[in-house]
Amino acid sequence: MASVTISNLHLYSLTLQAPSAVRCAVVGNFAGGGQRDQLLVTATGSRLTLYRTAEVMIGDLLKGTLVEIHSQNVFAVVRSLGTYKIAGSAKEYLVIGADTGRIATLEWMPDQKRWQRNHLETFGQSGVRRAVPGEYLAVDPRGRACMLASVEKNKIIYFLNRDAKGNLTISSPLEAHKPRTLTFALTALDTGYENPIFAALELDYTECDEDDLDLAKDEVQKELVYYELDLGLNHVTRKWWDAVDRTAHALYQVPGGKDGPGGVLVCGVDSITYRHSTQTAQVDPVPRIAIPRRKGPLEDPNRQRRIVAGVTPKSKGAFFVILQTDDGDLFRVTLDVGTDGIVQQLIVQYFATIPVASVICLTKTAYLYCASESGDQCLYALMDLGESNEAHKSQDLKDFKEAPEPVYFDFPEDQGHVELQQNFEKSNPTIASHIARLNPGEPPQIVSACGTGARSSLKVTKNGLAVNERSRGGLGGAGGVPTGVWTTKLRQEDEHDSWVVMAYPNSTLTLQIDPEKESIEEVGPEDSHFLERAHTIAVQLLANNDVVQIHTRGIRVIKPNGSCDDWEAPNVRTVAAAATNERQIALALSSGELIYFELDEDSGTLGELEDFHPEIPGSITCLSFGKIPVGNVRSKFLAVGCADQTVRILTTDVSSTLDQLSVQAVTSPPTALQILPMEDATGRVTLFLHIGLRSGVYIRTAIDERSGKLSNSHTRFLGPRAVSLSVVTVSDQEVLLAMSARTWLIYPDPQNKTMKVTPLDYPPLDHGRRLSMENQPDGIVGLQGATLCLLTVPSVDNHLLTLSTPLQYTPRALARVPDTAHYVVVQADPNTMPPSAQKTIEDQSKANGTVTNGHVDDEDKAETNEDGDAAMEVDQEDDADGDTQVQKRERASNPRLPGQWASVVSVVDPLKQRVLAQLELTENESAVTCCFAPIVSQDSEQFLFVATAKDRSLMPRGASSGFIHLYRVRDDPPSDPDNEDMKPPEFEFLHKTAFEEPPTALLAFQGRLLAGIGAAVYIYDVGMRKLLRKCWRPRAAATTIVALESQGSRIIIADQKESITFMKYDPVQNELTPFADDVCSRWATCMTMVDYETVAAGDKFGNLFLVRCPKDISDEVDQDNGGLVIQHLKSFLGGTPHRLNLAGHFFLNDIPMSIHKTQLQPGGLDIVVWTGLQGTIGAVVPFAMRDDIQFFMDLERCMRMTEPNLLGRDHLLYRCYYAPVKGCIDGDLVERFFLLNDEWKQRISGEVEKSIPEIEKKIIDMRMRSAF
């Protein structure tokens, strides 16, 4: 292929964790089965995910859960989802409105496990635009039509039908545009089989545009409008409209036809109103009710509630609507319908309280899915309909401007109408993150501050598989530490294992599995017939039900009747290694000889093939047979590992037994071999040779099943210890257990079948084998020194594990306590009642003996210390009932109080999931950011700096003043780090320094504190009563500094609106001088220094960009020691004298909140890891070789041309959403190569001039070498 110009910096973008913020979700019968076979589709960012509900055993209880069936990145912004079903069909189809300017209908193909696109119709421009339909989508309940609406002006309707051949058809769009009109909500009415009607909330701003005095905006009315699609005339009419509450923002369908009265529920601020064309406010009273409020002393009577989500369960002859408020309360809304079909009253009953959701879905099997706005997602089961709860009835109001009377209800602990089935750990929104090695010997872990309000948490995310420990105990009856473990059945027809055999240096211990007692007990040699005074090397059950014990002095064959046959090794030689299967045994002697045994088909006895003793150069370290294929009598290959750093493949065919077929050189002597078939990237079962080396490297090589040649090798460094391998069973499939400094599981990825090497979340095992017991058929028995462990790996579907520690308020920043695994997290929430005010009101309520609603007076202040902070308390509460605490947390919310901030500084141990200490900020101060800094003038002692804002307002943005609080860290770690009663860090308040505006960025800099306050940069030292200013630059940035980084004397500033600025600090002149900035205005959110001249940053529009200072300018600035040159350079266009060059740009579709340069794999590359607001974790990997850059550029181009986008979005335009992509290759698109069919793979292989295995190897290596 023709080469292209390659820039100096080229990167490879990968997604490590998909976004978890659900924008929309629908339930439908997409597989075409029964009504109970409904599936759930969610849209998170650019990803469509399909789930099914299932029931699993959690402990001793049967719980519902969601099982992921399929997930696909559509490389488009999904704006809305809908489902439709053609009359007479049981299968439902998915309708999608996206930023493609097209409507797409998809069909799920259950046999192929993929989405098939049926229609793709263009109606407008691409991109998220206010005048392009797609923001709102409504589908007729009978599946006859759908309407797409934009925020302003445009609405279009499509007919949905099928032709005589049964193919789905879609009509040309019918327009229902109205200029100068804003749309706030859209839904489809249930009209039975009459003409479809769509209801919209609209506001006509024509008069506002023509009003020069700006008075019409107070008089403009919001309207409920009906659009009718005449099926006979193929025409859309604006059938009916009427004024509604100005605060109306949501519409919910009421079943019609034979199921109900039809119409909609119009939800506004503090009101729910039923509206229909048959009931107009001018003629008939309109049923309207206030949204019920909680009773209690902490409830603000003036705060207004809103409906945020809802769903309409419907069955034959009955229906009701479930609505959720911004408190998380669910209400059951029913309608009292008169004999004339006119709705007389709305009846509202409290139903339950769950997390505030962006979307609520209900399945036919009574599972309620809550796509939470923040924090974890939840699945509930409806236990009953809550018909017996207290009912609140509506009022008849003709004037929609008249507010209904307030309604109050008793907020109970738990009504029992819904039951939490499972809590799904999610990370949205991610506010800040930090990457650190929390445990010695483990790779770095990602610590994230996530969530909002009472659903906030500090999460630790790491690469690993969950492990359930069934049993653990020390071994008795033998001396020393075991050197191996095996399990075996007694008969081939047995379902489970009967013996566990452990080898010691000079003895063997046998344990018997008791299925009745579900225990493992030691047995003597008289029962097991194993040689007790021998070092066992292998144990195998043969096809004739003989049990073989291979030990250093020979072989013992134990017959089913208890008799034994022994074979002894030749004189002065011992058995060094062995390989076995049901019919074959190979022994490697200490002299280097290889002896081969095979089970005779006629006599059923084990015999030695004396004529075959191949000469193997050097000593043999390990052996392995493959499994015997079905229909064969022997495994075709024997793998031999030699001390001369080679692995050889020998044949076991009768005509050429033990002839060498191939050899592969390795970098270290092999210590373990396993021949095991696994699925490859094409989905076919391929025979692989797995090699473990003494150096800690694991190699997987494909074996040609005809010739025995080795090819397509993949390597992975597992740790500094020698690797041992064992075949185990997980989720009914054979996988490989690799043991080194950590324990790893090697298996095919469930999504694309590529090789996954994932560590187990468990202390490292020395030895391990599969174990099948009645209560754990897919178990693992492991040894840790002299400790026996029984484990299970529940699933390999999720390779990211999360530890979550609940927080009280929304986290704003975090900082690691030096030399510990603890974190300081500053939290703050607006319009929230602080704990001190809550305590005051509760005490007053108890004293007065009343539970009426109240509010906080300005004089109701809790006692504080002289520093303005409430005393710090150590949280020592223990959760006795884990499930109960989880349910309480899901229902919790902080009391609201307008204009008040609640803020705390917490010390968190994320590994033990405990809040160790907490400090409340008072006087309406809210924490902004924090950092630790060693101060040189104080003997490099570590101090904690916390920046706060007083009386902060978000809109308009501002604060009355700002402060920096100074604390001294007192931390005396115990000698035993595993001690549960360890003393937490203590913080001694020293002083706080006032500023005119809040500090927004803090950084430790050359033994002092570097602070960004507004657009200025300050350098401070620690004084006795306040911070001492040592240097400052008043206009270092253009607007507001959001982040600071430094390296040496160079300081990097990220501005809220004006991108990145490079600055130099001259210690001789004590001056700060900006010398280079960006040419483009970018709304930066975070940044990190990639090297001395390069900075990686993210902006609020979801872009990742890299800017670089030219090398000659960087050198010139560094050599200007006195600052004489840089100070006298003229600014350019109101900025700095020099400009930064754009080195890379890439659209992420998530707002980066933190960026870090780190290593995620031992011995891996330095990469840039970013975390996004929607919970995304991504990585940007630099290319090490120029040939790889050219190859992946060609491969990405071929993938763009090969695979049509599911929603019709051009991939290159998607990645160039705001600016052209530069210097970055989309790894998410490249990795879809594994999902292509063979024909397309062959075409791409010819285009890039590499074989399919070579392409797959390069793609896998790009991820495995640097990420997970």
Side-chain angles (χ1 to χ4, degrees), residues 467-603:
V467 175
N468 294 335
E469 184 179 76
R470 300 288 186 176
S471 175
R472 182 183 182 90
L475 296 171
V481 177
T483 59
V485 61
W486 296 266
T487 61
T488 182
K489 305 174 184 177
L490 294 182
R491 296 178 298 274
Q492 289 288 346
E493 58 270 18
D494 289 348
E495 186 177 356
H496 304 295
D497 294 322
S498 300
W499 302 96
V500 177
V501 182
M502 279 174 293
Y504 287 83
N506 297 307
S507 62
T508 298
L509 176 66
T510 307
L511 305 177
Q512 183 179 12
I513 301 173
D514 190 339
E516 295 182 358
K517 298 181 180 179
E518 297 184 355
S519 61
I520 299 178
E521 301 174 352
E522 182 180 350
V523 296
E526 62 278 1
D527 295 324
S528 65
H529 305 289
F530 279 83
L531 285 175
E532 186 180 16
R533 298 299 180 184
H535 173 59
T536 300
I537 296 176
V539 175
Q540 177 67 51
L541 175 66
L542 299 180
N544 61 354
N545 292 331
D546 291 351
V547 178
V548 173
Q549 177 193 13
I550 302 175
H551 50 90
T552 54
R553 300 193 299 270
I555 302 176
R556 165 163 283 203
V557 180
I558 305 172
K559 303 291 184 179
N561 58 9
S563 61
C564 300
D565 294 336
D566 291 307
W567 176 90
E568 294 185 359
N571 293 333
V572 199
R573 282 168 282 185
T574 58
V575 178
T580 65
N581 60 28
E582 291 85 352
R583 306 190 67 89
Q584 297 165 286
I585 296 177
L587 302 182
L589 302 184
S590 57
S591 59
E593 298 177 70
L594 186 63
I595 301 178
Y596 178 63
F597 298 83
E598 193 169 298
L599 194 65
D600 187 85
E601 296 183 58
D602 299 327
S603 63

Side-chain angles (χ1 to χ4, degrees), residues 29 120 130 139 325 366 456 483 624 635 876 1157 1197 1248:
N29 189 9
L120 187 65
R130 66 177 186 174
V139 182
T325 69
S456 304
T483 59
S624 177
S635 175
Q876 297 179 341
K1157 179 185 175 183
R1197 183 181 59 82
V1248 300

